[in-house]
């Protein structure tokens, strides 16, 4: 959700903070602000809207904000409307303390009432201002006490938070704290940083520390000290970023989304090829032993949004290939439905960021019930990755666009690997079968590359239908699971109402919504279901729909019923979802461009959903 950045060093902090905020834009936000120690004291400037609005406001208020220590924030509204006064940073007391915060403080009303009774005046509707006043109330004013004060303050908080706190008592110090929301500390030379994400620090350093839950850090230009909840100093491992900043830049593309669509062959190759050795799937150091895989009785796949859709594809592939009972469930529903979990169950949790709040909570529930948990995540050392019993990283690289593309494709390939491995271990496929399946998996990046050749066709189709108010996606089996993701891509970046339906359900109500000019996208990649899908297409065409059919090279149905046909390269139908999603991503992208939408930063959405 929101983004935090902080800097303390010897250079002017303001340009570094602003650049860091721009690098966090992909997380989603509706306002931005900075707090910095200037010659005039602790100065706060914040503005609703884009970071450019903040820069303009800084100029209007007198652009001289030279400072060597400061904090910045991009806010995604939860408590209080998007506005200047609700933007972060928030000041505590008489303006000696400033706070930025990601997360939700659940007991903020109770704390607010107590602080108001002590004479504190609130200027915003946010829960964060409560933290600022609480720190001010507890702070004794000694330089060495700010971290201890923050430690006392967070022990009074219920909920989740990542905090950056500064005080006039030490103008070169930032105190950071974390519970349930990601926070990293960048380790530089004569300078250090805090941030919600590595992308905000990588321009300055590739060395970083991950703050764990309930830890508090004292960050100064020449030192970083981390304490646990008891105030004891803890040693932290310094990690190194393995990718270059160019991976998080547009590289000549108009939008990050298009760049990331085009990066899918590499993302899938990087996820698949290191895990295939001697024509067999090999999982190392992640707990997926042959013995454990033989004993599985039920697989629960858990995710949110696109991760869930990947899981729905995975469910079908695993059940077909491995003959194990498998369910794919929404993380937020799984948590509260008192799920039936056995000691021999495996729980696969899928999250691009590895910080998705509902998915993390669902995984913890599954672990508590005795299930073995495997995380499929893209962000190294994220919370889900660290807490799962085993982890399969999707080596997709940084994904900046809010609408996921390459991370979703990498998630699919990780699920395929799991399917092949389980099927072989349980004796459902032979060594020769595994060798053939691995060959198909290694060929998948090439098939995706070929599928990307439909780019110009999808751009042309997009110009024809960008003005539609409603779009429907139809599919059966794997194609239905893929249709759900196709529909989500369109609605989240173009703001067109779209729905995905199992094609067999068409006559059970959905067909009443079809009228003259309605766009219907039909997916048909399973030969056994071609005739059934064509029958459904005829039904919508008879009622005035325009149809785009996405199918394979060996489609044998009646092509005359469709206005447009997009053909995919031949591949195993179990892996077809990796190809059918490509033209759907491109269609959504070009429709959004045609409608002048903010493709990479769609309204109201966030990249990393770290609150329920």
């Amino acid at each position: 959700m929101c983004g935090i950045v902080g800097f303390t060093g010897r250079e002017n902090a303001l340009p570094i903070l602003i650049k860091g905020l721009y690098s966090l834009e992909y997380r989603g936000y509706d306002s931005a602000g900075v707090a910095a120690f200037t010659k005039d004291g602790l100065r706060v400037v914040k503005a609703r809207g884009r970071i450019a609005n903040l820069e303009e406001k800084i100029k209007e208020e007198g652009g001289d904000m030279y400072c060597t220590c400061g904090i910045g924030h991009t806010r995604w509204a939860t408590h209080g409307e998007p506005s200047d006064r609700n933007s972060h940073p928030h000041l505590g007391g008489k303006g000696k303390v400033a706070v930025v915060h990601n997360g939700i403080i659940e007991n903020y009303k109770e704390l607010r009432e107590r602080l108001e009774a002590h004479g504190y005046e609130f200027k915003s509707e946010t829960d964060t201002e409560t933290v600022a006043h609480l720190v001010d109330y507890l702070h004794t004013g000694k330089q060495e006490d700010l971290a201890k004060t923050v430690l006392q303050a967070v022990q009074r908080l219920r909920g989740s938070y990542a905090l950056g706190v500064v005080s006039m008592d030490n103008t070169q110090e930032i105190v950071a704290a974390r519970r349930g929301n990601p926070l990293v500390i960048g380790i530089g030379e004569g300078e250090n940083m805090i941030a919600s994400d590595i992308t905000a620090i990588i321009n300055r350093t590739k060395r970083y520390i991950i703050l764990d839950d309930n830890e508090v850090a004292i960050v100064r230009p020449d030192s970083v000290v981390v304490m646990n909840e008891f105030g004891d100093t803890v040693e932290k491992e310094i990690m190194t970023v393995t990718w270059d900043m160019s991976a998080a830049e547009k590289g000549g593309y108009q939008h990050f989304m298009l760049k990331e669509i085009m990066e899918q062959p590499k993302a899938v190759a990087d996820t698949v090829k290191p895990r295939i050795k001697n024509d067999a799937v090999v999982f190392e150091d992640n707990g997926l032993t042959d013995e454990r895989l033989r004993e599985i009785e039920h697989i629960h796949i858990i995710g949110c949004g696109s991760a869930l859709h990947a899981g729905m594809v995975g469910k079908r592939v695993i059940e077909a290939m491995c003959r194990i009972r498998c369910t794919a469930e929404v993380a937020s529903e799984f948590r509260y439905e008192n799920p039936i979990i056995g000691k021999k169950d495996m729980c696969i949790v899928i999250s691009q960021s590895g910080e998705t709040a509902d998915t993390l909570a669902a995984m913890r529930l599954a672990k508590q019930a005795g299930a073995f948990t495997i995380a499929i995540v893209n962000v190294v050392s994220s919370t889900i990755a660290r807490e799962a019993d085993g982890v399969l990283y999707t080596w997709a690289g940084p994904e900046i666009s809010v609408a996921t593309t390459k991370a979703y494709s990498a998630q699919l390939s990780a699920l395929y690997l799991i399917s092949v491995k389980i099927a072989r271990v349980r004796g459902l496929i032979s060594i020769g079968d595994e060798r053939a399946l691995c060959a198909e998996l290694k060929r998948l990046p090439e098939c995706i590359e070929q599928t990307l050749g439909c780019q110009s066709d999808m751009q042309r189709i997009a110009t024809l239908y960008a003005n539609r108010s409603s779009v429907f996606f139809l599919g059966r089996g794997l194609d239905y699971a893929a249709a759900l993701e196709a529909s989500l891509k369109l609605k989240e970046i173009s703001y067109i109402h779209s729905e995905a339906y199992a094609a067999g359900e068409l006559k059970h109500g959905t067909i009443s919504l079809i009228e003259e000019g309605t766009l219907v996208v039909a997916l048909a990649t399973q030969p056994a279901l071609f005739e059934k899908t064509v029958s459904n297409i005829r039904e919508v065409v008879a009622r005035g729909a325009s149809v785009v059919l996405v199918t394979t090279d060996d489609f044998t149905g009646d092509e005359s019923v469709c206005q447009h046909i997009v053909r995919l390269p031949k591949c195993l139908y179990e892996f077809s979802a990796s190809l059918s999603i490509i033209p759907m991503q491109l269609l959504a992208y070009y429709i959004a461009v045609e409608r002048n939408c903010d493709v990479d930063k769609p309204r109201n959405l966030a990249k990393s959903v770290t609150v329920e």
Side-chain angles (χ1 to χ4, degrees):
M1 290 259 178
C2 312
I4 287 174
V5 63
F7 174 87
T8 180
R10 298 183 179 88
E11 295 183 34
N12 184 6
L14 184 62
I16 298 168
L17 295 175
I18 295 295
K19 190 166 187 175
L21 292 179
Y22 272 117
S23 71
L24 295 172
E25 280 191 303
Y26 74 95
R27 295 172 67 87
Y29 71 105
D30 46 52
S31 58
V34 292
F37 295 112
T38 71
K39 59 181 174 46
D40 300 317
L42 180 55
R43 184 176 169 194
V44 173
V45 182
K46 45 192 183 177
R48 178 179 177 176
R50 296 301 184 198
I51 295 167
N53 297 358
L54 172 64
E55 292 182 285
E56 188 61 34
K57 193 167 183 179
I58 291 172
K59 291 178 184 177
E60 290 174 358
E61 294 186 5
D64 183 15
M65 278 189 70
Y66 184 87
C67 58
T68 55
C69 179
I71 51 178
H73 191 266
T74 52
R75 176 181 186 249
W76 193 89
T78 55
H79 292 71
E81 65 179 3
S83 66
D84 288 5
R85 69 189 180 95
N86 286 332
S87 304
H88 299 210
H90 286 286
L91 293 172
K94 296 180 181 179
K96 290 184 64 176
V97 172
V99 172
V100 290
H101 163 231
N102 295 350
I104 290 180
I105 307 303
E106 295 173 358
N107 61 331
Y108 84 99
K109 286 186 178 180
E110 170 192 329
L111 292 170
R112 179 170 179 149
E113 289 172 0
R114 292 187 180 184
L115 288 163
E116 285 176 331
H118 284 280
Y120 282 87
E121 180 181 346
F122 284 75
K123 298 178 181 178
S124 76
E125 304 167 81
T126 68
D127 53 343
T128 304
E129 191 178 3
T130 303
V131 181
H133 288 316
L134 180 61
V135 171
D136 180 85
Y137 173 69
L138 296 172
H139 192 32
T140 64
K142 296 180 181 179
Q143 286 188 3
E144 66 273 14
D145 279 349
L146 181 60
K148 293 180 180 178
T149 301
V150 172
L151 195 58
Q152 292 178 46
V154 298
Q155 289 169 353
R156 291 165 167 79
L157 304 180
R158 291 199 310 270
S160 62
Y161 56 77
L163 296 170
V165 184
V166 293
S167 167
M168 283 294 295
D169 292 313
N170 190 335
T171 59
Q172 285 296 113
E173 177 183 282
I174 303 170
V175 173
R178 174 252 167 97
R179 182 197 296 157
N181 270 254
L183 201 64
V184 300
I185 301 171
I187 308 298
E189 297 292 334
E191 63 183 48
N192 291 304
M193 298 183 70
I194 68 168
S196 298
D197 196 305
I198 290 167
T199 54
I201 67 169
I202 197 171
N203 270 312
R204 307 292 301 185
T205 180
K206 288 192 173 185
R207 301 169 69 234
Y208 68 98
I209 287 170
I210 294 176
L211 211 57
D212 287 316
D213 275 357
N214 302 314
E215 290 181 339
V216 171
I218 306 166
V219 183
R220 295 172 180 152
D222 297 308
S223 67
V224 173
V225 177
V226 179
M227 301 185 300
N228 62 21
E229 58 192 306
F230 302 107
D232 301 322
T233 301
V234 295
E235 292 296 321
K236 302 293 291 185
E237 178 187 1
I238 296 178
M239 307 178 76
T240 303
V241 183
T242 56
W243 45 270
D244 193 78
M245 188 58 200
S246 61
E249 295 175 344
K250 290 181 183 176
Y253 288 94
Q254 184 179 357
H255 297 98
F256 280 110
M257 184 178 178
L258 183 58
K259 173 178 180 278
E260 289 159 7
I261 289 172
M262 296 302 172
E263 289 175 339
Q264 286 176 109
K266 184 179 187 302
V268 171
D270 290 347
T271 299
V272 168
K273 290 183 178 179
R275 294 177 171 119
I276 295 178
K277 298 178 181 178
N278 298 321
D279 298 321
V281 176
V282 177
F283 295 136
E284 297 175 344
D285 301 324
N286 57 17
L288 283 174
T289 63
D290 290 0
E291 181 181 2
R292 188 182 299 279
L293 295 177
R294 287 191 196 100
E295 294 179 348
I296 296 171
E297 294 180 352
H298 185 169
I299 296 176
H300 307 268
I301 303 179
I302 298 169
C304 301
S306 294
L308 174 65
H309 297 158
M312 293 177 73
V313 172
K315 163 194 155 55
R316 286 162 169 79
V317 175
I318 289 170
E319 286 192 337
M321 200 177 288
C322 308
R323 308 311 297 161
I324 296 176
R325 190 159 48 97
C326 186
T327 53
E329 302 176 66
V330 180
S332 56
E333 292 295 313
F334 182 85
R335 293 180 58 185
Y336 299 111
E337 62 187 12
N338 192 20
I340 300 171
I341 303 173
K343 299 293 184 182
K344 292 186 177 181
D345 289 0
M346 183 168 77
C347 182
I348 301 174
V349 292
I350 308 174
S351 168
Q352 187 282 138
S353 67
E355 303 290 349
T356 312
D358 285 314
T359 306
L360 175 59
M363 183 186 77
R364 287 170 173 167
L365 176 65
K367 284 190 70 171
Q368 191 175 31
F372 181 76
T373 56
I374 284 289
I376 296 177
V377 299
N378 193 43
V379 179
V380 174
S381 298
S382 54
T383 304
I384 289 175
R386 285 181 285 126
E387 292 194 15
D389 296 313
V391 58
L392 284 181
Y393 284 115
T394 55
W395 302 113
E399 189 176 63
I400 307 301
S401 178
V402 168
T404 183
T405 51
K406 64 176 181 174
Y408 168 81
S409 289
Q411 288 163 1
L412 289 180
S413 62
L415 288 163
Y416 301 154
L417 288 166
I418 291 173
S419 302
V420 173
K421 180 67 172 179
I422 294 175
R424 176 67 193 121
V425 165
R426 294 168 78 100
L428 294 169
I429 59 174
S430 66
I431 294 176
D433 293 332
E434 182 181 28
R435 185 179 296 117
L437 287 166
C438 287
E440 285 295 312
L441 283 173
K442 288 195 290 187
R443 199 173 68 87
L444 196 54
E446 178 186 340
C447 293
I448 294 173
E449 188 75 57
Q450 292 175 27
T451 307
L452 286 167
C454 73
Q455 180 181 2
S456 59
D457 289 336
M458 301 320 297
Q459 184 174 13
R460 178 178 57 81
I461 292 171
T463 62
L464 299 174
Y465 299 105
N467 64 346
R468 295 299 192 268
S469 59
S470 192
V471 178
F472 295 96
F473 294 82
L474 302 178
R476 292 171 179 265
L478 282 170
D479 292 325
Y480 170 55
L484 288 164
E485 175 62 10
S487 174
L488 178 61
K489 280 290 141 309
L490 182 65
K491 72 178 71 170
E492 67 184 346
I493 64 170
S494 73
Y495 317 140
I496 294 175
H497 167 260
S498 69
E499 298 294 340
Y501 290 95
E505 286 291 289
L506 188 64
K507 291 187 286 293
H508 296 275
T510 310
I511 201 165
S512 66
L513 299 173
I514 304 298
E515 57 188 10
E516 191 69 33
T518 301
L519 177 60
V520 173
V521 180
L523 281 68
T525 64
Q526 299 158 92
L529 298 173
F530 283 166
E531 289 186 8
K532 299 288 187 185
T533 303
V534 169
S535 175
N536 296 133
I537 292 172
R538 290 184 185 280
E539 291 169 347
V540 296
V541 169
R543 288 156 179 84
S546 301
V547 176
V548 176
L549 174 64
V550 178
T551 189
T552 58
D553 268 342
D554 56 355
F555 177 72
T556 56
D558 184 1
E559 300 181 9
S560 65
V561 295
C562 307
Q563 277 69 36
H564 312 277
I565 294 183
V566 180
R567 293 189 177 275
L568 307 173
K570 187 174 178 59
C571 79
L572 286 181
Y573 84 86
E574 289 92 343
F575 305 153
S576 64
S578 292
L579 304 188
S580 62
I581 195 57
I582 302 298
M584 299 296 89
Q585 293 169 345
L586 289 166
L587 179 67
Y589 171 76
Y590 282 114
I591 285 179
V593 170
E594 194 74 16
R595 292 166 66 92
N596 293 316
C597 297
D598 194 342
V599 174
D600 288 331
K601 299 183 285 293
R603 67 190 183 200
N604 303 332
L605 297 183
K607 183 67 173 174
S608 179
V609 183
T610 54
V611 295
E612 291 187 53

